[in-house]
Amino acid sequence: MSPWYEQLGFKENPLDVRPSPLLIGLERQEEQLVNHILKGEICFLNGLTGSGKSSLLTRVQRNMKNHSFVYLDAQELPRNFNLEEELKKKRNFFDRLTLREFPSKTPVLIIDEFQATDKNIVLDARAKWENPNDKKIKSIVVAQISKYFKNVTPAFKERLGNRVIELPTLDDEEMKEILNLRLKTRWTNYYNKLHNEALNLLVACADGNPRKLLEYADMIFDFHYRKFKDNNPLLVNKTYMVTYWGAKEILELQKVNVDAYIYLEKEDKKRRLEAFEKRFSKDEQDWLIFLMTGSKTVGDLAKEFNVSDSTAALRIRDLKDRGAIVRAGRKNKKKLWQASPHVKRLRVRV
């Protein structure tokens, strides 16, 4: 017997709560983190459980391919852990061939769940980072839930300074966009199988916590598979949607408190518009509104906003990476772009 996601055409569970590089609403925090790493600094990533700390760290490691990373989960380190030996493991083939003791590409050290780190490891890491003659660590990134450190010296706090990156609680539309990105297959987006009121219920119950959101959505898809097997309406019925009442019943069966949500259509539209204005700059809003009027090429956008084609192409790439625009075919062999359905829904006026 296979799990629900294989039946729907996924190779892996798209709602897995483990760290994933698919992030929403953390663009500014990612930019800050990358900047600190590039400058070789110590920085602190702070956020509640499920806010995306580990996922952001995973994404940065994947995208910064020209950097070497040593990732440590402080809660899982053995008692006899040796930081120096761990750094040596990052030596590449040529490093070993030339008998280098340490990697030629100075690694970035990431310590997740930092509150559990032994004080001696912290001192060792700082010494290997700040030694002016023999830096064995380029940058140090520490991450934990609490805003307060209990295992560092005043000198470490001084080195850290104000380089603190706080992960915010996501708004309702950013929470929905997580599911929108996760639930796509090549042929179907199962996000569209969730009625808007069912989505609102999931978001309200998760209370800004992406990990809970994924867990609760998984309950709904898993329930349909176990109850209906090969007759799963999510698969065999093109018009079927999970309603608010259906989602509520499933969550209640799993002992989830569903009392957090009361649907108010006018307030929902207002929240969506506020989310649009929060997520995009005024300049980006103008581009997206223009892309809601029809499909456009890079040249069309460059002409409308009086910028070069290369500048327009960079803006398109950025908006595409953030899920704000989608491909809409071709015109005279040039790609056409339009605002994504999700962004169009955000723009619904009260």
Side-chain angles (χ1 to χ4, degrees):
M1 181 176 173
S2 58
W4 69 264
Y5 51 87
E6 290 185 4
Q7 184 194 46
L8 299 186
F10 296 96
K11 292 182 179 180
E12 299 176 343
N13 187 353
L15 302 176
D16 195 325
V17 298
R18 286 174 290 189
S20 166
L22 292 176
L23 292 173
I24 290 294
L26 298 179
E27 293 84 6
R28 182 175 62 83
Q29 288 76 17
E30 180 180 357
E31 182 182 350
Q32 286 179 288
L33 179 56
V34 168
N35 187 48
H36 288 314
I37 291 173
L38 291 175
K39 291 195 294 181
E41 297 173 334
I42 296 178
C43 66
F44 172 32
L45 192 61
N46 175 236
L48 299 174
T49 300
S51 61
K53 294 187 302 300
S54 297
S55 291
L56 179 54
L57 293 172
T58 299
R59 178 180 173 90
V60 167
Q61 290 177 79
R62 188 192 69 170
N63 290 344
M64 298 185 73
K65 298 184 185 301
N66 59 335
H67 282 65
S68 174
F69 290 88
V70 174
Y71 175 87
L72 307 178
D73 183 337
Q75 292 181 328
E76 302 295 332
L77 295 181
R79 289 186 178 181
N80 60 346
F81 174 78
N82 187 304
L83 179 58
E84 194 157 296
E85 292 302 316
E86 198 68 25
L87 295 173
K88 290 179 180 179
K89 292 178 183 178
K90 289 298 176 178
R91 291 176 297 171
N92 60 31
F93 173 76
F94 293 104
D95 290 337
R96 297 175 188 275
L97 191 65
T98 55
L99 304 179
R100 288 185 65 97
E101 187 178 7
F102 288 92
S104 53
K105 184 182 291 186
T106 309
V108 175
L109 177 64
I110 295 176
I111 309 179
D112 206 354
E113 304 295 347
F114 183 69
Q115 73 283 349
T117 311
D118 183 271
K119 292 181 180 180
N120 292 325
I121 294 177
V122 177
L123 290 171
D124 191 17
R126 198 195 90 193
K128 286 177 166 51
W129 168 76
E130 68 180 3
N131 188 334
N133 300 317
D134 189 21
K135 287 191 174 182
K136 295 183 174 65
I137 295 174
K138 175 178 180 177
S139 173
I140 301 175
V141 180
V142 300
Q144 67 178 34
I145 297 170
S146 173
K147 294 182 179 181
Y148 306 102
F149 295 113
K150 297 181 179 179
N151 54 345
V152 302
T153 63
F156 184 92
K157 293 181 181 179
E158 184 181 336
R159 300 294 189 280
L160 175 63
N162 293 320
R163 291 182 290 274
V164 179
I165 304 170
E166 295 190 14
L167 301 190
T169 299
L170 301 186
D171 65 36
D172 291 0
E173 293 304 322
E174 288 169 336
M175 292 280 278
K176 291 181 185 179
E177 184 63 13
I178 290 174
L179 294 181
N180 188 22
L181 284 177
R182 294 273 192 128
L183 290 170
K184 292 178 182 178
T185 69
R186 183 178 179 182
W187 310 110
T188 306
N189 187 352
Y190 287 96
Y191 174 85
N192 297 322
K193 292 288 188 178
L194 299 169
H195 192 279
N196 192 53
E197 291 190 38
L199 287 165
N200 287 338
L201 175 64
L202 287 170
V203 168
C205 292
D207 193 25
N209 188 313
R211 189 176 297 170
K212 287 184 179 180
L213 177 72
L214 296 173
E215 179 186 350
Y216 297 159
D218 182 85
M219 290 177 183
I220 288 175
F221 283 90
D222 189 54
F223 174 87
H224 279 77
Y225 176 61
R226 287 185 291 105
K227 181 174 181 179
F228 300 105
K229 300 295 189 298
D230 293 339
N231 293 316
N232 189 343
L234 291 167
L235 182 66
V236 302
N237 188 337
K238 292 183 178 180
T239 62
Y240 178 81
M241 294 185 74
V242 179
T243 66
Y244 162 77
W245 299 108
K248 182 173 182 290
E249 182 178 354
I250 294 168
L251 294 178
E252 284 178 328
L253 287 172
Q254 299 295 325
K255 310 301 182 184
V256 177
N257 182 5
V258 297
D259 296 333
Y261 172 66
I262 300 175
Y263 181 66
L264 297 172
E265 184 175 4
K266 185 175 181 179
E267 286 300 313
D268 180 59
K269 289 181 179 179
K270 182 180 178 182
R271 285 196 300 269
R272 278 185 276 155
L273 184 56
E274 289 173 347
F276 178 78
E277 293 170 348
K278 171 187 172 183
R279 185 174 174 191
F280 302 105
S281 67
K282 181 62 173 65
D283 191 36
E284 291 169 338
Q285 291 174 40
D286 292 340
W287 282 60
L288 290 171
I289 291 170
F290 182 59
L291 284 165
M292 292 177 198
T293 64
S295 302
K296 312 293 181 184
T297 65
V298 168
D300 294 333
L301 290 157
K303 182 178 180 181
E304 174 70 16
F305 295 100
N306 194 27
V307 297
S308 67
D309 283 4
S310 60
T311 299
L314 287 173
R315 172 59 60 82
I316 285 294
R317 185 173 66 182
D318 176 59
L319 292 173
K320 175 180 176 291
D321 289 344
R322 293 161 62 187
I325 62 173
V326 293
R327 285 276 300 275
R330 288 181 175 270
K331 178 182 178 182
N332 298 328
K333 297 184 179 181
K334 295 182 178 180
K335 295 177 182 177
L336 287 168
W337 301 94
Q338 66 180 18
S340 68
H342 171 67
V343 165
K344 290 178 180 177
R345 285 195 294 271
L346 291 183
R347 275 288 300 168
V348 173
R349 291 278 180 180
V350 178

